[in-house]
Amino acid sequence: MNYSISKLTKILPVLLFACVLFSCQDDDDNGNVIEGNNSIINYLQKNNEYSIIAQTVVKAGYKGTLDGNSGTYTFFAPDNEAMNIYFSDLGISGLEALSDEEAQRLVDYHLLQTPNNAENFTTGYLKTNAKKVLNDSVSYNLDLFVDSEKDLIFNAQTRIVFPNIDVDNGVLHGIDKVLNPPSVTDLMQIDSRLLSYYEELEAEDLLSEIQTEDDKTIFVPIDIDLDPFLANQNFTTSEKVNFLKNHLMEGFFTTDFLQTGYFKNRAVASNSNHIDTYFNLTLGLLLNGTSNIIEQDIVGTNGVIHVLDKVLEVPNLYTFVNADVDLFTFQTALTRDDQLPENYINRLMSNDGTESPFTIFAPIDTAFESALLELFPNQNATLEDIDTATLTSILNNHIVTNNAYTLESLPSNVNTLESQIQVIKTDSTFTLTDVQLRQSNSVRVDVQAKNGLLHKIDTLLLP
């Protein structure tokens, strides 16, 4: 008897714990039984108005992904009417016409990895689960634009009609239209800050250049800077086209790919060579010394957008001299007070054909450091120790007028404003020899501005 009571005493706490546990799992606050099958896919399958998107989830191979009793997803669920309109707009009969990959992209674009209740959405971009695939190992999440200024709307057309449906693995919102993965042109129309630039591209018949499957990188100036800038210009048609193309680059360049240095854009100089943009990543995300990227890596199906606070004017040679972090001393020399009568700044900005196009052999900062040691071996000299006439001669020795020499077109002898320089070329570099038989090697060639070419060199050319 004592043995039986002792045994019951040991078992009773276990039975009580089990009853409490099952009671917590099976009953809600109203005494209703919860079966533990309220995941995203469960909800869609149990509600007939979402049967098509439920079938799409299955076709995409995501039934298991969106099942389960835990998770942090947000899922935007278009009802059957929205799905049928989507198929009609595509000109297809229904879900059976979509491939498994197309179904997966569609589901992914309606899926966020974090839970978001409707009242928590704010104006801006959200990264969806859909991918822009570059290769087998690199991909980027496609963006979804949220506008909450007046009414909560997604990609300028989709609204939540049934918000904040709690599911076991996150939150679900019923929406009135299917969310289409956007191209870069779609994104520019969706975001009102970028619409002015889109309209300018459209007015100049340039949309066809970015509505291709080939990836583009677009640096879009916000409308509050672009609109007044254009209002104060007197562009010819070709100048305006070049200005707009100066914001376009071929290829897919997110900010994790960009480096401090030069990249070719779609604008062209008079020699038909593509113009450069200079990126300075040591000061944030600064382009040509004037324009900051204020919103980066907005990804569409055929490219990426970076939003700028200021327009990118088509650069002249002084733009690069002023912006390049390796040319600080060269820029300081050109603008030293005693050199102002030479008017170097305005001359290197000009494109009137008087002296342009130019070729500039731009010495990097270490070239000046070495030259100062050579010119003043027994003292700790600075740029200020070079007298006016000598500095003018040195600067003139790096400037060629009325010729824009690419590496390929460089002759064996080049006449600068000061002397004749000998040139020896390879396929990708050149070596210059000044009148004192000192040699200087190229460190960057063929930087194209609208009024000429710049080559960076490692040694000062002395007269």
Side-chain angles (χ1 to χ4, degrees):
M1 180 70 176
N2 290 338
Y3 174 78
S4 299
I5 293 173
S6 175
K7 184 175 180 181
L8 181 61
T9 302
K10 291 179 181 180
I11 295 173
L12 185 59
V14 177
L15 294 174
L16 288 173
F17 175 76
C19 290
V20 171
L21 178 62
F22 285 114
S23 175
C24 290
Q25 287 183 338
D26 290 350
D27 295 329
D28 65 14
D29 292 338
N30 298 317
N32 299 317
V33 176
I34 299 173
E35 298 295 338
N37 59 352
N38 192 39
S39 66
I40 291 171
I41 185 61
N42 295 151
Y43 183 89
L44 297 175
Q45 290 179 330
K46 288 187 297 185
N47 290 272
N48 289 334
E49 65 268 32
Y50 297 113
S51 62
I52 299 178
I53 189 64
Q55 294 167 35
T56 307
V57 170
V58 173
K59 187 179 182 72
Y62 274 14
K63 181 179 179 181
T65 302
L66 298 184
D67 199 1
N69 294 325
S70 64
T72 57
Y73 296 113
T74 298
F75 189 74
F76 299 99
D79 61 20
N80 290 348
E81 181 181 358
M83 290 296 291
N84 284 324
I85 292 173
Y86 172 72
F87 295 142
S88 177
D89 289 342
L90 288 179
I92 61 177
S93 58
L95 178 59
E96 66 278 2
L98 290 183
S99 67
D100 293 352
E101 291 76 16
E102 290 168 333
Q104 180 180 340
R105 171 171 274 200
L106 184 64
V107 172
D108 274 332
Y109 196 65
H110 289 76
L111 184 65
L112 309 179
Q113 289 289 334
T114 56
N116 293 271
N117 286 331
E119 59 271 17
N120 295 330
F121 287 111
T122 58
T123 298
Y125 291 93
L126 295 172
K127 295 293 183 184
T128 70
N129 203 54
K131 304 287 187 181
K132 165 65 180 176
V133 178
L134 297 186
N135 54 51
D136 291 341
S137 59
V138 179
S139 63
Y140 294 89
N141 295 83
L142 293 175
D143 276 279
L144 171 68
F145 184 68
V146 182
D147 186 350
S148 64
E149 294 301 319
K150 295 180 180 179
D151 185 19
L152 184 60
I153 186 168
F154 299 84
N155 283 359
Q157 64 173 4
T158 300
R159 289 174 170 81
I160 294 176
V161 289
F162 295 107
N164 304 339
I165 301 169
D166 287 329
V167 290
D168 292 338
N169 51 351
V171 60
L172 184 146
H173 304 290
I175 56 175
D176 64 351
K177 289 185 175 65
V178 171
L179 293 166
N180 280 311
S183 66
V184 287
T185 49
D186 294 329
L187 288 166
M188 284 187 284
Q189 295 175 83
I190 289 166
D191 188 341
S192 61
R193 300 171 304 165
L194 315 182
L195 184 57
S196 291
Y197 181 72
Y198 171 85
E199 290 174 342
E200 295 298 337
L201 290 174
E202 185 177 37
E204 301 302 329
D205 294 325
L206 292 175
L207 289 180
S208 60
E209 294 200 11
I210 57 175
Q211 290 176 324
T212 64
E213 293 183 2
D214 295 332
D215 288 331
K216 300 289 187 297
T217 300
I218 310 178
F219 300 92
V220 183
I222 55 176
D223 56 350
I224 58 174
D225 186 70
L226 176 64
D227 293 341
F229 173 81
L230 289 176
N232 291 322
Q233 301 302 310
N234 190 27
F235 282 146
T236 65
T237 299
S238 62
E239 288 171 338
K240 187 175 180 182
V241 166
N242 222 32
F243 163 76
L244 294 172
K245 286 186 174 183
N246 196 53
H247 295 77
L248 304 176
M249 288 171 52
E250 292 288 345
F252 190 95
F253 301 122
T254 54
T255 51
D256 59 352
F257 177 87
L258 294 173
Q259 305 173 34
T260 295
Y262 295 93
F263 292 79
K264 298 291 182 185
N265 64 57
R266 297 302 300 160
V268 293
S270 58
N271 59 4
S272 299
N273 290 337
H274 285 287
I275 285 176
D276 279 275
T277 302
Y278 180 74
F279 292 82
N280 183 349
L281 273 65
T282 65
L283 296 175
L285 294 166
L286 185 63
L287 281 65
N288 286 352
T290 59
S291 303
N292 290 284
I293 297 177
I294 56 175
E295 193 154 4
Q296 65 199 57
D297 301 338
I298 303 168
V299 178
T301 56
N302 63 337
V304 59
I305 291 173
H306 308 286
V307 182
L308 301 179
D309 63 346
K310 296 185 183 302
V311 301
L312 277 175
E313 297 189 53
V314 181
N316 53 57
L317 286 165
Y318 187 71
T319 302
F320 294 143
V321 171
N322 191 51
D324 194 321
V325 294
D326 291 333
L327 303 181
F328 176 77
T329 310
F330 186 46
Q331 188 272 344
T332 302
L334 290 167
T335 57
R336 203 173 78 174
D337 288 347
D338 62 348
Q339 299 302 310
L340 295 182
E342 298 298 322
N343 201 23
Y344 286 122
I345 299 174
N346 288 337
R347 290 164 70 184
L348 294 183
M349 292 173 63
S350 68
N351 194 30
D352 59 9
T354 304
E355 290 185 300
S356 65
F358 300 90
T359 302
I360 305 297
F361 299 111
I364 61 177
D365 290 341
T366 54
F368 278 92
E369 294 169 7
S370 298
L372 287 169
L373 291 173
E374 182 180 347
L375 293 171
F376 305 97
N378 297 318
Q379 63 187 84
N380 188 20
T382 67
L383 185 67
E384 295 300 319
D385 292 305
I386 303 177
D387 65 77
T388 300
T390 301
L391 183 58
T392 301
S393 295
I394 290 173
L395 294 175
N396 284 343
N397 212 30
H398 295 80
I399 300 173
V400 178
T401 59
N402 301 119
N403 281 293
Y405 292 121
T406 62
L407 169 65
E408 184 179 4
S409 66
L410 272 172
S412 58
N413 292 284
V414 173
N415 292 315
T416 70
L417 289 173
E418 184 65 27
S419 67
Q420 188 174 85
I421 304 296
Q422 296 178 10
V423 181
I424 299 176
K425 298 187 297 183
T426 69
D427 290 339
S428 59
T429 63
F430 62 76
T431 299
L432 305 177
T433 303
D434 64 23
V435 293
Q436 298 189 32
L437 302 183
R438 301 164 64 262
Q439 290 189 332
S440 180
N441 299 306
S442 62
V443 294
R444 180 64 165 85
V445 301
D446 292 349
V447 176
Q448 182 71 61
K450 66 180 179 180
N451 61 340
L453 280 144
L454 180 146
H455 308 283
K456 292 165 68 171
I457 58 174
D458 66 358
T459 303
L460 214 60
L461 301 171
L462 297 180

